[in-house]
Amino acid sequence: MENFLQAIDTLTIRFALAAVLLPLLAFVVNVCLPGKSNKAAGWISTLAILVSAVLSIFVFSKVWNQHQVHQQQLWFTIGETKLYAGVLLNNLSVLMLLLVSLIALPVHVYSTAYMGKDENSKRYFAYLSFFCFSMLALVVIDSLVLFYIFWELVGFSSYLLIGFWYTRSKAVLANKKAFIMNRIGDIGLLAAIAILFTVYHTFDIDQLFGANALVRTTAFELPGGWQYVAFGGIALAVAAKSAQFPLHTWLPDAMEGPTSVSALIHAATMVAAGVFLLGRVYPVFTESELTILAIIGAFTAFMAATIALTQNDLKRILAYSTISQLGFMVMAMGIGAYSSSLFHLATHAFFKCLLFLVAGIVIHEMQHVKDEYKLDIDPQNVLYMGGLAKKMPLTFISALIGGIALIGLPLTSGYLSKDGILIQAFEWSEGKSVLFRLIPFGAMLTSWLTAFYVTRLIVKVFFGEFKLSQINPGIKLHVSDGGWQYKLPMVFLSVCCLFPAFSLNPVLYEHAWLLNGFPRITGLDRVNIYHTIVPAGLNILSLFVIYWAYAVYVMDKALPFPEGGWIFRLSYHEWYIDKIYSKIIVAPVLTLGKLARWFDINIIDGFIHLLERIGIAFSKVADWTDRNIIDGFLHLVASIVLGIGNFARSFQGGRVQYYLFSMLAIILAIFLFKILI
Amino acid sequence: MIGLSDFLIVSAGLFCVGLYVILTKRNAIQVLIGIEMMLNAAILNLVAFGKYDRFNNGGQMFALFAIVLAAATTAVALAIILNVYKKYKTIDPNEIHELKD
Amino acid sequence: MNILTLLIFTPLLFGLIIILMPSDWRFSFKYITLLATLIQLGLSIVLYLQFKSGPEHAGINAEDTFQFVQKSHWISLNLGSLGKMQIDYFVGIDGISVAMVVMSSVVMVIAALASWEIQSNLKGFFSLFLLLNTAVIGVFCALDFFLFYIFYELMLLPLYFLIGMWGGARREYAAIKFFLYTLFGSVFMLLVMIGLYLSVKDPATGDHTFNIIQMMNPANYDSNSIFSTLAHKTLLGMPARAVGFVVLFIAFAIKVPVVPLHTWLPDAHVEAPTPVSIILAGILLKVGGYGIIRICLGIFPEIAVSGAYWLGLIGVISILYGALNALAQRDLKRLIAYSSVSHMGFVLLGIASLTPEGISGAVMQMVSHGFLSTMLFFLVGVVYNRVHDRDIYHFRGLGSLMPRYTTFVMIAFFASLGLPGFSAFVGEAFSLIGAFKSPSVNGALPYWMAVCGSVGILLGAAYFLWTLQRMFFGSLTLKGGEIWKNALTDLNSREIFSLFPLAILALVLGVMPSLVFDKVNDSVLALVHFIGFK
Amino acid sequence: MNDLLPFLPGLLKQVFDGIPLFMPEIYLCALFVVLLVTDLIFGKNSAWICKIIACGVLIVIALKDVEQLKLLLAGPQLFFSNMLLLHEKTVSFKLMIDVLSAVLLLYFDWDDQLASHKKGLTDLYSIVIAAVFGMHLMVMATNLLSIYLSVEMVSIASYLMVAYRAENGISSEAGLKYVLFGGASSAIMLYGISLLYGFGGSLNLFGGNLLPGLMQVNPLGVALALLLFLVGIGFKLSFVPVHFWVPDIYQGAPAPVSAFLSTVTKVAAFGLLINFLTPFIFFTGFSKVFDFGLFLSVVGITTMIAGNFAATLQNNLKRMLAYSSIGHTGFALMALVNFNTDKQGITAITFYLFAYSLANIGAWMLASYFSNTANAENMDDFKGLGFKYPLASVAFVIILISLTGIPVTAGFYGKFLVFSSVYTVYQASHNVWFLLLMITGAITTVVSLFYYIKIPLNLFLRKTERTTGFASTSNYLLISIAIISLLVVCLGLFPDFLVR
């Protein structure tokens, strides 16, 4: 029996390894393929990720809620430290394994159509496979050193993909920014790893944070409070990778990459790696450190949501919403809602990926329009869109599902996860001081803001009339949902956004199967009342917000052209609300959003640029020092040498009597010196 | 009575005069004369001291050698000065300074 | 015949052959040189494979644990009451040297390939090249201080001419600067070497000795000699052993180079022809690091311990200062030269940590930098040879014009900035981990140094990515217009043939660092043990 | 007269006893006469015959020198009424002088400037032999009289050599300066000698009561006398402050003569200085009267600095070599500072001087070579010549490297041995001056590189457009340069070959 179990485990490990390595293989094959654009490339990558996904499902089924599987092998020895490389499969890692491969699969299928015609499609798929490899490896490996390696490799592949169109200078600036900001986080992680190693002399994740976590059993204290540097380092790493305040500004810029990439990397998987890291090293944090995380997360969530309100670039809106949702996850980790955080990670991955794919299709079609009529517009600007719902119904429905999930209305997965977080946030703040109450209420407010901007987005894109036609009647819109490579992924992801994928009970988040895979929080008392009030209040108000937004963005334009009766019936009412709220709420909220945006551009980015400038200024100073001080010192030495030489030469005037005189004078001097001493 | 110290004083004076001559005179021959004066000062010393070295008579002997060598040096020097005069039409050592830094 | 001796003198032999051949055959010289380096590489691979690891082969301070030893009398001078001055031809390697020797052999092959671009005065170039090759390998193998010094000095002259005769516009200045800097260091090293020689006695014969290994044993010092560990003699009011350490350190630090002794390096690198830059950056800088480990740490361990703080400080300053300087450069080659300063700073930081992780990391970093700087300089050479310009701002969007070139540049840049999977990551990470470990294990370095060192990684990313962005990405604009566009052809097969192995090596060492660590480990442990953290 | 009669047989016996110890010098005398006679018989064509005879016999004399070692098994020998001393180190100095002179004799007529002298070189050969004879005496002299005699002998010969090319203005000017400066310094030296004689009551350095006598006189007087005396030796060695003549004379004199003055003469002068210093250093307590160690240290340091630093600014090759030879004197003085301890100092200085002389002769030969072929005198003239004359240029590099003291050349071992010997003394005495000497030595080594490297810099690193004005010259010169540079490298690889 024992042997049998071990054999099964070995098989599981092998499958997991295969799932990780297949994309790598696809990467190598793609690199070796001839030509720049090769049809085969897309299918090779897709095939690889398909098999990976299947294997992941198998691995998941073997490990989920069963014993953890951990196998390792000696990698190398340095000094007396042995470094092992191995695979650690527990609930967290198999969940991520499954999630990543399942999200990557539709994105790959989508990409074959979306990027297949690009002249460098081979390179694209090579990069994409490389990313999948790094990401899958990141979630299963068992050593902090390896974790760091793949942590940086996902950042690297994201760098490559953001700058995929390397001739666009904006893309290149964006990928540089992304890499360097991530590097800041990497340094933090490296420092944290090094400090952990210093204290515990191991890099093994299982030993450090596993069942008998060393970080729990052994005191983690260093003189001078350097263990806080470890925490700070991890926080920095999380902030950089998961785009948390103040290192979040790279993510909106990263939207310069292909939209499929944004869907996979910058919405679903890589940016979630920060949350995953928190999940991995969770035991290391103390109460106060967690609170800091919660504050960071809550603030980021709120701030990003306010910014998303006023954005006009389709992808940027989504990017800010991603930041906001990641903030939710980090906050959840901070308040101790470990499982809910991961739950939200999973649900968010699906609906955000879906939304990006939808955005991709829309942008793709807009690009067509732009190319066809040779317009000078930004195909991502939502102000030029509108009325697309009729032309691309499937896309519209998908967007709707994704949007509702993002808002967190019932029947969607988003409801389950997000409400869970909010409820627990209220429970957490129970009995704490008023200041801590800010977090749940802030989160709640953020939810409503989310509802607003999501509605605005969908309305702007899909409702009303096509704006370009309004401006220029000559433009005819003939767009569609696209081929099966577009439809299939959307359908798949849409299904995954609905509640049955996670819980049979559409209302109670606690019944979600996913939550049972992770330790429950014991520290929080269940406060029943929140379980009814919070979802109810939240959703009802959300509905109001949605309607209000709808009214603001559709009816403003729609009023002169009444179409639907129910809109018309409420118009008066709406006008009244609009009149009041636009003064009291909308204006301030929009101003706040603008303010936040301004803050983002001028203060945070400004600070980053300031740092950049300071860095460059320092480098100029260093350069100057090198040229003038250090080499100047050399020149000084040289001139001293020459000076002495010239002095010695000055006697050599060619007059022999002067020579004799100098000689005698010096001898006399020596003699006098002798007399004196 | 002329004692040793008198000789020494005279020789020292001679030496100094010689030195003065070689440093200041604008004529190579005069410089040579200065050198001769210095040599003679030394020779005077030697002879004077030789009085106290009865057994070896080193001083006197040395003096003889020195006189001979001085003559030889002077001969060589004069030959060279002659040569220089042919080339430069002057024997002022200060005028002849093609070799210098 | 001892394999090390073969390894050292094979290039010299070929160099003599080249000298004796008529100049009409000048086109065969490059093949002969390549052959010589390939033979050397073959020998070094044999050496690597036969090298035994294990604590009984650790080397460092135990003479019988060195491998491939050859020891024969070379010079013996009778000096009266001082006894005989006995200088041995004593070569042998341990884990640290084997890494350097193999790395050097590889780099030499690439440098030989890179030197195909040399057009003028081939006989002189290749014979000097091979002479330099001999000297370099000799330095890494010598265990007699005198022999070490001879090889060390022997590197100077060929380099002077290689830079001075085949270099760029300011080659005279660069060559003389390099020569004077290094000679300055080595002349004082000579003084310390003599002092050590007169302080140490071979217990077997009772004569003074230049044996480095015996210099490591405090028992071998004369009780009242200058460098005796017990006598606490002073030189000019300072402890003699500290002075000795500092002098030797300065000599090697010039080679490494550390701030502020580094200004010869950008000049020398920029002016040197590509193969010489490759050798300079790839190998010669390592001579400094190797010397610090073998000689400074080996002979003056207690000073190294007490001075570790300063060593680390200098290392950190080099990391940051070098990186900042690199950020400010607009000459690509100068940028890479400064990046070398920064990268070698990690070596110093790792060594200063005095932990096995740090020192192994430092050795790894040296090996890795050997390959990567070779690659970087080779790549700079490619573009320079085509258009004779290296100004970053004169190029833009090379990525679409020279895709293969850009690929290799990206590999080299990312490997250099410490992307995991490449060797530099392992070197830098473990140097830093050593530095982080140091405060709690031996207190040699404070934490903040490790933290500051880490910032170097960030700066490294900054200047490399910035360069990528400026030169390779974006739309194609060249200062030289169409002429340049035609001149800038993509890599040819010789160039790919040179670069590919380096990229692979950097990758393989990044994935399997055990290839280096397995050989190095025992020696590093022995060294750390010897230094005094027993 | 009658008083002396009883002593005559004894004195004569002393003389005869001394003759076996004086064999090389007797050969030299004979050689001198033979050369004069050959000149008379063969007239103008006698130059090459004289050259062959002179070189051949010098080699024989060198062998005779070696034979003398057998006589010394019993220890050092004083002879000719304690006038001269034969010692192992004097033998090695003599050997050095003979061998180097033989090489230089070969070299004389390869210099085109000298060879074109219309009166031929025969006279010059006899003068050289006379000078060599004087130098033999110098290294053996132990009596103030013999010292003075030998120094003057060499001086007079040197004056003639410097001014040999009477038709050349520069050469005459050099001769004039040399003779005036030399005459003055020898006069000063003689005055010093006379004072020493007066204070000590004896001319004999060894055995006599010179030193005890000096101990009883006012130290200041003794110091003055010694200073005046050292002027004469310093003139030969060219240390500060008696070095002013050097650049002018070396530049003005024919290259082979400068080579002669800067090598052989210096060797002899060092031999003399060692002889002179030995009794003072072994006489306990004399350092209170006059501290030779301190004096030589200070002089050594300033000489190194003055010579090397001034050389950095020179543009004329011969002048640069002149300054560098001043620097080398300073460095050799460093070795002298400590020769009292034991053999090591002497070995060091011997090796150093030989390595220096060898390389320096090579350098002067190259100066001749390039002046012959390309008319190159100044640094600029050397531009790009490396590619035109590769062998000579490579040899030049090797020789300059040896002069700088970089491995693997003889010069490096010279420096190395000197440093080690000073170190030994320092270790024993902890005299800070020795440390300063070493540091100065090290710094000036770096400085010396700065000017030596100028020549390879011009030869190889710079290009020239010049295409005309190249003459062909005797290949013998090139061959001997090559041999010398090879020798320099071989001694660099196996220095024990030389040190017996």
Side-chain angles (χ1 to χ4, degrees), chain C residues 97-290:
Chain C
S97 8
V98 74
M100 295 294 129
V101 167
V102 176
M103 186 272 292
S104 306
S105 311
V106 175
V107 172
M108 278 297 175
V109 175
I110 307 300
L113 279 170
S115 44
W116 289 29
E117 73 185 43
I118 299 292
Q119 303 296 339
S120 63
N121 202 359
L122 298 177
K123 183 185 256 189
F125 182 87
F126 285 108
S127 44
L128 286 171
F129 180 94
L130 289 168
L131 178 62
L132 179 62
N133 191 343
T134 289
V136 161
I137 303 286
V139 164
F140 289 132
C141 296
L143 290 177
D144 187 278
F145 205 154
F146 196 87
L147 190 64
F148 177 90
Y149 187 79
I150 297 276
F151 282 126
Y152 189 83
E153 291 277 273
L154 198 57
M155 298 186 301
L156 294 186
L157 202 64
L159 266 173
Y160 172 76
F161 284 110
L162 287 171
I163 296 171
M165 288 175 70
W166 289 272
R170 287 169 74 237
R171 57 180 188 270
E172 281 175 20
Y173 174 71
I176 190 71
K177 199 171 178 184
F178 162 77
F179 205 161
L180 286 177
Y181 248 113
T182 325
L183 191 71
F184 177 77
S186 60
V187 165
F188 284 95
M189 181 159 104
L190 176 67
L191 289 182
V192 174
M193 179 177 97
I194 293 168
L196 281 167
Y197 164 74
L198 292 170
S199 304
V200 175
K201 278 194 169 158
D202 186 345
T205 60
D207 287 337
H208 289 299
T209 178
F210 279 108
N211 190 324
I212 292 175
I213 298 156
Q214 277 163 1
M215 287 178 179
M216 294 183 185
N217 185 351
N220 288 345
Y221 283 81
D222 262 359
S223 57
N224 57 357
S225 58
I226 301 239
F227 289 120
S228 162
T229 40
L230 302 171
H232 300 296
K233 286 280 166 62
T234 57
L235 276 174
L236 295 175
M238 288 165 282
R241 278 180 71 83
V243 172
F245 177 86
V246 169
V247 168
L248 287 180
F249 176 75
I250 288 175
F252 293 123
I254 290 172
K255 269 262 148 67
V256 169
V258 302
V259 176
L261 301 169
H262 66 285
T263 53
W264 65 268
L265 179 123
D267 287 315
H269 272 135
V270 167
E271 301 306 328
T274 306
V276 179
S277 301
I278 288 174
I279 296 178
L280 260 180
I283 305 176
L284 288 205
L285 307 192
K286 280 71 204 182
V287 172
Y290 174 79

Side-chain angles (χ1 to χ4, degrees), chain A residues 637-638 640-664 666-668 670-677, chain D residues 173 177 180-181 184-185 188 219-220 223-224 227-228 231 240-245 247-248 288-291 295 305-306 309-310 312-314 319 323 447 450:
Chain A
V637 170
I640 289 173
V641 169
L642 294 183
I644 296 174
N646 263 324
F647 177 71
R649 277 179 69 197
S650 61
F651 295 99
Q652 306 284 359
R655 291 181 171 82
V656 67
Q657 282 168 312
Y658 182 65
Y659 293 176
L660 282 166
F661 174 72
S662 325
M663 174 186 102
L664 289 168
I666 294 173
I667 290 170
L668 197 64
I670 296 175
F671 186 65
L672 287 176
F673 189 64
K674 173 81 187 163
I675 292 173
L676 289 176
I677 52 169
Chain D
E173 183 191 334
K177 286 182 177 172
L180 292 183
F181 202 101
S185 44
I188 293 169
L220 279 178
L224 181 65
L227 275 177
L228 295 179
V231 167
V240 171
V242 206
H243 69 286
F244 295 111
W245 58 278
D248 291 0
K288 288 197 194 72
V289 179
F290 190 88
D291 190 348
F295 175 77
I305 290 175
F309 282 51
T312 52
L313 292 151
Q314 299 307 318
R319 238 181 142 72
Y323 277 109
V447 173
F450 188 74

Side-chain angles (χ1 to χ4, degrees), chain D residues 202-224:
Chain D
S202 168
L203 289 167
N204 204 344
L205 287 171
F206 286 83
N209 52 356
L210 178 63
L211 285 140
L214 288 181
M215 290 289 284
Q216 285 150 27
V217 194
N218 180 356
L220 279 178
V222 176
L224 181 65

Side-chain angles (χ1 to χ4, degrees), chain C residues 406-423:
Chain C
T406 308
T407 310
F408 275 108
V409 168
M410 281 182 73
I411 292 173
F413 274 17
F414 275 98
S416 294
L417 63 81
L419 186 74
F422 289 104
S423 48

Side-chain angles (χ1 to χ4, degrees), chain A residues 336-658:
Chain A
Y338 180 83
S339 45
S340 288
S341 174
L342 293 170
F343 186 24
H344 194 56
L345 191 162
T347 57
H348 171 257
F350 285 106
F351 61 68
K352 190 49 69 59
C353 184
L354 176 63
L355 284 172
F356 265 107
L357 293 189
V358 165
I361 295 170
V362 170
I363 293 165
H364 198 68
E365 298 299 323
M366 289 299 288
Q367 183 72 38
H368 274 307
V369 174
K370 180 189 168 189
D371 290 346
E372 195 177 340
Y373 296 98
K374 306 217 162 27
L375 298 171
D376 186 25
I377 56 160
D378 179 3
Q380 303 191 8
N381 194 330
V382 289
L383 296 182
Y384 297 123
M385 302 168 187
L388 295 179
K390 283 163 279 180
K391 300 280 183 182
M392 25 187 18
L394 184 64
T395 313
F396 170 59
I397 293 167
S398 304
L400 214 54
I401 294 174
I404 292 171
L406 177 54
I407 296 167
L409 292 184
L411 301 182
T412 60
S413 56
Y415 167 80
L416 296 171
S417 55
K418 197 192 235 172
D419 285 13
I421 291 173
L422 281 173
I423 291 165
Q424 287 173 77
F426 276 103
E427 286 175 345
W428 172 77
S429 66
E430 186 74 11
K432 291 199 170 66
S433 81
V434 182
L435 277 177
F436 289 98
R437 290 259 162 185
L438 276 177
I439 286 179
F441 282 112
M444 198 109 157
L445 184 60
T446 309
S447 288
W448 295 326
L449 292 176
T450 310
F452 189 88
Y453 68 71
V454 170
T455 315
R456 171 175 176 265
L457 173 75
I458 290 174
V459 164
K460 289 257 181 203
V461 174
F462 292 102
F463 289 83
E465 292 297 316
F466 188 53
K467 305 294 186 304
L468 279 178
S469 309
Q470 290 180 330
I471 301 164
N472 180 354
I475 292 174
K476 291 281 175 292
L477 188 64
H478 36 81
V479 295
S480 67
D481 283 330
W484 65 271
Q485 290 122 311
Y486 287 162
K487 287 179 181 155
L488 195 63
M490 279 199 294
V491 171
F492 171 73
L493 289 172
S494 303
V495 169
C496 290
C497 289
L498 297 173
F499 73 93
F502 293 94
S503 167
L504 291 176
N505 186 333
V507 187
L508 276 179
Y509 80 94
E510 283 164 309
H511 290 204
W513 56 265
L514 210 155
L515 286 180
N516 300 325
F518 298 108
R520 289 298 177 123
I521 312 161
T522 47
L524 296 185
D525 301 323
R526 189 186 153 96
V527 185
N528 278 321
I529 184 121
Y530 287 134
H531 288 254
T532 40
I533 287 180
V534 172
L538 187 70
N539 288 306
I540 290 164
L541 254 169
S542 286
L543 283 173
F544 274 115
V545 170
I546 291 167
Y547 177 68
W548 170 44
Y550 182 81
V552 167
Y553 290 106
V554 178
M555 313 247 271
D556 255 355
K557 309 275 179 341
L559 270 174
F561 313 99
E563 288 171 12
W566 60 282
I567 301 170
F568 191 69
R569 248 191 352 262
L570 293 169
S571 61
Y572 168 74
H573 219 41
E574 218 42 54
W575 181 83
Y576 178 70
I577 293 169
D578 196 29
K579 185 124 178 153
I580 294 171
Y581 285 151
S582 64
K583 283 235 160 54
I584 303 171
I585 298 174
V586 177
V589 166
L590 289 182
T591 318
L592 193 65
K594 283 193 181 118
L595 200 72
R597 174 73 189 144
W598 178 86
F599 186 76
D600 218 39
I601 290 174
N602 292 298
I603 306 297
I604 299 177
D605 258 17
F607 182 66
I608 303 279
H609 288 148
L610 184 71
L611 279 183
E612 192 180 315
R613 274 187 218 117
I614 289 172
I616 289 173
F618 262 120
S619 72
K620 292 264 159 59
V621 170
D623 188 45
W624 184 86
T625 318
D626 227 45
R627 283 176 203 277
N628 294 292
I629 306 282
I630 297 180
D631 267 9
F633 178 72
L634 278 186
H635 295 150
L636 183 73
V637 170
S639 56
I640 289 173
V641 169
L642 294 183
I644 296 174
N646 263 324
F647 177 71
R649 277 179 69 197
S650 61
F651 295 99
Q652 306 284 359
R655 291 181 171 82
V656 67
Q657 282 168 312
Y658 182 65

Side-chain angles (χ1 to χ4, degrees), chain A residues 75-77 79 81 148-149 156 159 166-167 172-173 176 179 183 187 194 198 222 226 619 622-623 625-626 631, chain C residues 177 262-263 321 324-325 329 338 357 399 414 417-418 425 436 440 447 454 457 466 469 473-474 511 513 517 521:
Chain A
W75 185 25
F76 62 89
T77 312
T81 316
Y148 178 82
I149 289 177
F156 172 62
Y159 167 87
Y166 60 82
T167 48
V172 179
L173 284 174
K176 186 184 75 175
F179 195 87
R183 245 311 137 106
I187 291 173
T198 305
L222 286 174
W226 281 91
S619 72
D623 188 45
T625 318
D626 227 45
D631 267 9
Chain C
K177 199 171 178 184
H262 66 285
T263 53
Y321 189 82
L324 286 172
N325 254 309
Q329 301 306 319
Y338 275 110
E357 287 82 4
F414 275 98
L417 63 81
F425 162 71
F436 269 109
S440 64
Y447 273 113
S454 325
I457 295 186
W466 199 25
Q469 176 220 324
F473 298 149
V511 178
F517 285 144
N521 209 16

